[in-house]
Amino acid sequence: MDAFILLFTLAILLALGMPVAFAVGLSAVVGALWIELPLEALMIQITSGVNKFTLLAIPFFILAGAIMAEGGIARRLVNFAYVFVGFIRGGLSLVNIVASTFFGAISGSSVADTASIGTVMIPEMEKKGYPREYAAAVTASGSVQAILIPPSHNSVIYSLAAGGTVSIASLFIAGVLPGLLMGLCLMVMCLAFAHRRGYPKGERIPFKQAAKILLDALWGLMTVVIILGGILSGIFTATESAAVACLWAFFVTMFIYRDYKWSELPKLMCRTVKTVTIVMILIGFAAAFGAVMTYMQLPTRITEFFTALSDNKYVILMYLNIMLLLIGTLMDMAPIILILTPVLLPVTNALGIDPVHFGMIMMVNLGIGLITPPVGSVLFVASAVSKQKIEVVVRSMLPFYAVLFMVLMLVTYVPAISLWLPRMLGMM
């Protein structure tokens, strides 16, 4: 009955249209009152939930991504990708995905990826004869990589939701191969479509021009080197690398590229602060919600429920995938991670599934949710940028869903895809 009151309250508040963060917080208050937990204890959980040094990585990564997104890096990354794959038949769709891979390694955000790359690539693809809805589908599905490839904001949130038992660095490195696998599979499908539908080839770029493009993009790509190189070498922690990347992004945007006006910086800072505030409020309220769930012994009950269904971990993983896919279509990614991670980790731990591996499974599931109606935020951004109706874009997305589901199955049932690189680097 306790769990029913908590979850029913959350469902009702969400159905009434209350913002997720406040719905989570108010549900925690109702649950605490029901089990006679002092509200003072709830306040302590909220403050301790956001009083963590590792959380500083989130505002720094968000700010670095925002600076680079609005400072001309997207256009330079598109040109950079064109040098390598633009001359192939259907090359612009490949350029779109490769550019998303690079931009995701800078921004860590699928929404920023779709908005920035889509603004450049969707009109260009339409001009070269690609259907606009197909260009939107390529952009949206390619941006899912940003959830996996470091520096993923959601990996930081997952580490927090796991109680700090999973290091951010190991999650960052674990996401590299699944993210690249996703991009590769999408590129193979785009090549097949290009040959079947007769999409055009691009022109080869002369060597001198290509060298200039590569040098121009190199400044922005150094952000990736700073983040990964700093973490792998042990020079920086993930949080420190975020701060250094932020400074580098500012230096490159304002002093090297100089495409961004100084007068626009206060507005950018204001938007970033608003985004960070929303995330931090959600994290604090989710910490209180998780504490109430723990007092109600909900994680234990969920573990008993799933282990009663089957003693085969592969079957239970399929159940978890189905559940996460469904929930991912109804809620945004961050609240799902914060709410479900403390509940589902005991289940996967009982099955002997590595928490880093489960983190990658969760990321892929919820990434698919971001491009799936009715609440897919990335899908809405792609629709807005392409000026196409949601249903038209979704129709073009159908084959992309199939490819992403295949990647999900590979990540789920082949743990080495997620775990090989961190183990090789001695991070696990």
Side-chain angles (χ1 to χ4, degrees):
M1 186 64 181
D2 296 344
F4 174 77
I5 294 295
L6 181 69
L7 299 177
F8 181 74
T9 303
L10 178 62
I12 290 296
L13 293 175
L14 290 174
L16 291 174
M18 181 177 286
V20 174
F22 297 111
V24 169
L26 193 53
S27 301
V29 171
V30 172
L33 293 173
W34 178 261
I35 62 174
E36 299 181 351
L37 179 70
L39 292 183
E40 291 85 352
L42 216 57
M43 296 304 107
I44 292 172
Q45 291 295 331
I46 291 173
T47 53
S48 63
V50 295
N51 188 24
K52 291 181 170 63
F53 177 75
T54 53
L55 280 180
L56 285 173
I58 294 177
F60 282 130
F61 279 135
I62 290 175
L63 180 57
I67 292 172
M68 298 298 273
E70 299 190 23
I73 184 64
R75 174 173 52 81
R76 288 174 171 86
L77 289 177
V78 166
N79 293 338
F80 179 75
Y82 194 95
V83 171
F84 295 101
V85 294
F87 58 89
I88 303 171
R89 180 171 298 281
L92 280 185
S93 56
L94 305 186
V95 168
N96 195 324
I97 294 169
V98 173
S100 288
T101 305
F102 288 127
F103 193 84
I106 292 172
S107 71
S109 166
S110 291
V111 172
D113 194 332
T114 301
S116 301
I117 300 299
T119 303
V120 178
M121 286 303 306
I122 292 175
E124 184 66 21
M125 290 179 71
E126 184 184 33
K127 191 192 303 181
K128 298 296 184 181
Y130 296 80
R132 182 169 274 262
E133 62 273 15
Y134 174 76
V138 173
T139 305
S141 56
S143 70
V144 177
Q145 298 172 88
I147 291 167
L148 298 165
I149 295 173
S152 167
H153 309 158
N154 293 290
S155 291
V156 179
I157 294 173
Y158 175 81
S159 174
L160 170 73
T165 57
V166 186
S167 78
I168 297 173
S170 62
L171 288 168
F172 277 3
I173 301 305
V176 172
L177 290 184
L180 294 178
L181 174 66
M182 182 180 291
L184 180 62
C185 291
L186 289 171
M187 289 173 71
V188 170
M189 187 186 69
C190 287
L191 281 173
F193 279 153
H195 285 277
R196 187 188 308 166
R197 299 174 181 177
Y199 291 146
K201 289 183 178 181
E203 297 179 359
R204 287 185 180 273
I205 296 178
F207 178 77
K208 284 187 178 180
Q209 186 181 348
K212 184 178 178 182
I213 289 171
L214 296 179
L215 185 61
D216 197 28
L218 192 60
W219 292 101
L221 290 172
M222 278 298 295
T223 311
V224 183
V225 177
I226 290 170
I227 294 169
L228 287 183
I231 293 173
L232 292 178
S233 64
I235 297 174
F236 307 130
T237 64
T239 305
E240 291 163 349
S241 72
V244 175
C246 192
L247 290 173
W248 178 257
F250 176 79
F251 172 74
V252 170
T253 300
M254 305 309 296
F255 295 101
I256 303 296
Y257 291 158
R258 293 183 290 183
D259 287 349
Y260 199 69
K261 297 178 181 178
W262 285 88
S263 59
E264 295 293 320
L265 268 180
K267 295 179 182 178
L268 183 145
M269 295 294 291
C270 183
R271 288 194 297 272
T272 302
V273 168
K274 286 181 179 179
T275 302
V276 171
T277 302
I278 293 168
V279 173
M280 292 303 176
I281 290 173
L282 177 58
I283 288 172
F285 286 159
F289 189 88
V292 173
M293 286 196 299
T294 302
Y295 281 117
M296 292 178 173
Q297 298 184 326
L298 188 58
T300 304
R301 296 179 192 178
I302 296 290
T303 302
E304 291 172 353
F305 170 76
F306 275 106
T307 51
L309 288 176
S310 173
D311 57 358
N312 188 320
K313 72 175 182 179
Y314 301 109
V315 173
I316 294 179
L317 278 173
M318 181 57 72
Y319 291 149
L320 291 176
N321 276 327
I322 293 170
M323 182 182 74
L324 289 169
L325 282 171
L326 291 174
I327 295 174
T329 65
L330 302 173
M331 285 179 68
D332 203 8
M333 191 168 185
I336 296 176
I337 294 173
L338 289 165
I339 293 170
L340 290 186
T341 299
V343 175
L344 297 181
L345 263 187
V347 178
T348 56
N349 288 338
L351 297 170
I353 298 166
D354 191 282
V356 173
H357 178 210
F358 179 65
M360 294 303 106
I361 295 172
M362 180 175 270
M363 297 295 169
V364 178
N365 272 294
L366 302 183
I368 295 173
L370 289 178
I371 57 172
T372 307
V375 190
S377 55
V378 171
L379 180 64
F380 285 118
V381 172
S383 174
V385 172
S386 64
K387 297 181 175 62
Q388 294 289 302
K389 292 182 178 179
I390 291 285
E391 56 270 26
V392 175
V393 177
V394 169
R395 201 176 304 125
S396 292
M397 287 285 302
L398 293 178
F400 293 90
Y401 290 134
V403 170
L404 293 175
F405 183 77
M406 180 190 72
V407 173
L408 172 61
M409 291 297 99
L410 289 172
V411 171
T412 299
Y413 294 113
V414 186
I417 295 174
S418 303
L419 302 180
W420 176 76
L421 199 53
R423 285 174 176 167
M424 186 189 73
L425 296 172
M427 305 181 74
M428 296 179 60

